[in-house]
């Protein structure tokens, strides 16, 4: 059994590499971090930020990595009263937006999924959309999971998702994200980076080492990086 692990940014992948003791190498013709965890082989790499890059990376992993199960990891923005920083989210469903088409992940061992993640390239949602998300049982938003889910579903490969809540997505992020991204671009400095540490567990059971990003608005940094990529 070979698991493929995908994370948007190197800082999101690093805790997995450290926790699993992975080393640089190849799986099939795919370059990444490789190793063995228990009875499973693991290959891990990054996707880049957003659905387009995630789609390409997931397809590349399936084409070259010879994997049997794909796991998406990384940070997400929390939504609603049941989610807090630094909760670990293993969703029971992932939906795209605005279509709200549902994708169901495969179980990871004995872990039980709960809540829904909304995934899209949208940065910040209007208050009425956030309210609708909460009513639908959405607990987090991200920018890559649904793209990986689509690629895996089309190929008949099981997939799962593990996301750490790094910040709130139901505060003023959507209103001020554009201005903050512009300021960061004009004056990059210590506040524009994130420090990452392996930390946490699922309700104390220690089943997954959780990436915790220490920065004021990680999603705003992600938006800035995506814009720089497009501009280049």
């Amino acid at each position: 059994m070979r698991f493929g692990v995908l994370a948007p940014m190197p800082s999101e992948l690093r805790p997995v590499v450290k926790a699993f003791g992975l080393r640089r190498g190849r799986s099939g013709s795919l370059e990444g971090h490789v190793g063995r965890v228990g009875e499973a082989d693991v290959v891990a790499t990054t996707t880049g930020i957003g659905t387009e890059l995630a789609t390409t990376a997931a397809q590349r992993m399936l084409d070259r990595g010879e994997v049997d199960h794909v796991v998406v990891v990384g940070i997400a923005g929390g939504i609603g009263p049941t989610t807090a920083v630094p909760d670990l989210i293993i969703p029971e469903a992932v939906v795209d937006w605005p279509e709200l088409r549902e994708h169901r992940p495969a179980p990871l061992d004995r872990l039980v999924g709960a809540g829904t993640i909304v995934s899209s390239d949208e940065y910040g949602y209007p208050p009425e959309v956030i309210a609708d998300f909460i009513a639908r049982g959405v607990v987090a938003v991200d920018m890559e999971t649904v793209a990986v889910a689509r690629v895996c579903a089309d190929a008949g490969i099981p997939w799962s998702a593990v996301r750490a809540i790094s910040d709130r997505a139901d505060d003023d992020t959507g209103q001020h994200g554009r201005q903050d991204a512009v300021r960061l671009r004009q004056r990059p400095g210590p506040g524009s980076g994130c420090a990452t540490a392996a930390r946490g567990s699922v309700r104390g059971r220690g089943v997954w080492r959780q990436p915790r990003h220490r920065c004021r608005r990680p999603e705003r940094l992600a938006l800035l990086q995506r814009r720089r990529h497009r501009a280049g």
Side-chain angles (χ1 to χ4, degrees), residues 2-180:
R2 178 175 286 121
F3 284 88
V5 179
L6 291 171
M9 296 187 292
S11 58
E12 293 169 276
L13 187 63
R14 198 171 299 124
V16 175
V17 171
K18 182 177 179 180
F20 290 167
L22 305 182
R23 297 291 183 265
R24 293 291 305 181
R26 287 176 176 264
S27 174
S29 60
L30 179 69
E31 292 187 358
H33 292 83
V34 299
R36 190 165 180 83
V37 181
E39 298 181 356
D41 293 316
V42 177
V43 55
T45 188
T46 54
T47 65
I49 298 166
T51 57
E52 182 178 352
L53 293 178
T55 296
T56 300
Q59 190 62 63
R60 182 169 57 245
M61 174 166 277
L62 296 189
D63 291 343
R64 303 180 185 177
E66 302 174 359
V67 300
D68 304 297
H69 190 136
V70 176
V71 183
V72 189
V73 304
I75 61 173
I79 285 182
T82 65
T83 306
V85 178
D87 286 353
L88 200 62
I89 304 298
I90 301 174
E92 62 181 341
V94 175
V95 301
D96 53 13
W97 189 86
E99 293 84 1
L100 296 179
R101 290 171 296 198
E102 185 176 271
H103 303 265
R104 291 270 173 173
L108 279 172
D109 196 20
R110 296 181 299 275
L111 301 179
V112 179
T116 297
I117 289 178
V118 165
S119 189
S120 79
D121 284 316
E122 187 70 18
Y123 181 77
Y125 297 90
E128 62 273 17
V129 174
I130 292 290
D132 182 64
F133 285 171
I134 295 172
R136 292 174 179 269
V138 174
V139 294
V141 296
D142 70 33
M143 303 174 78
E144 297 84 22
T145 301
V146 77
V148 177
R150 289 173 186 155
V151 171
C152 291
D154 289 345
I157 298 294
W159 64 276
S160 305
V162 180
R163 289 281 186 169
I165 299 301
S166 62
D167 201 5
R168 302 299 305 177
D170 50 7
D171 56 10
D172 64 348
T173 300
Q175 180 180 357
H176 299 297
R178 181 178 299 272
Q179 294 94 320
D180 280 8

